[in-house]
Amino acid sequence: MYVIWINSKCSWLKSLTDCKIKQIDIAKDTKAAGLYKIVVVPTIVIYNNGEEVKRFQANIMMEMEATKDDVQGAIDDIIMEGF
C-alpha cells in the first residue's frame, strides 16, 4: 500500500504505519499532476495494489483538514477489508 503526499510538508507523514510513503512536489515533477489527477494541493492519495482507494484534498483555503488519525484509519480499514 502506498500513500502519496502532494505538495506540502507534513510532520506526521513518516509516522504512518503499514504503508510506504511517497512525497511529490508537482512543481518539480510536472507530469505527476496529471498522473495522480491532482486538482488542488495539498492532496493525499492512498493506493492499494495499484488502485486508488482513498483521497484527501485541501479545503478552499488550501489547507489539509485530514489528520494523521483520518489517514491511518483509512489505511487500517483497507487492510481489514483484505481479510
Side-chain angles (χ1 to χ4, degrees):
M1 182 174 326
Y2 281 93
V3 174
I4 310 293
W5 177 265
I6 313 291
N7 272 59
S8 187
K9 293 186 179 183
C10 178
S11 61
W12 48 261
L13 187 65
K14 292 183 180 181
S15 66
L16 295 172
T17 60
D18 300 315
C19 64
K20 294 180 182 179
I21 307 296
K22 182 175 182 179
Q23 279 188 274
I24 297 173
D25 181 343
I26 59 173
K28 293 178 182 175
D29 184 354
T30 56
K31 293 181 182 181
L35 178 66
Y36 296 110
K37 300 177 181 104
I38 303 304
V39 295
V40 64
V41 291
T43 296
I44 299 170
V45 186
I46 301 174
Y47 285 89
N48 189 32
N49 296 323
E51 287 188 42
E52 180 179 328
V53 291
K54 185 71 176 176
R55 180 177 290 248
F56 299 92
Q57 294 179 296
N59 61 23
I60 196 164
M61 300 298 293
M62 301 301 202
E63 299 169 336
M64 180 58 69
E65 292 181 346
T67 65
K68 176 188 176 220
D69 289 340
D70 294 332
V71 177
Q72 187 64 62
I75 292 167
D76 295 344
D77 288 346
I78 294 163
I79 291 169
M80 292 306 293
E81 287 173 5
F83 286 106

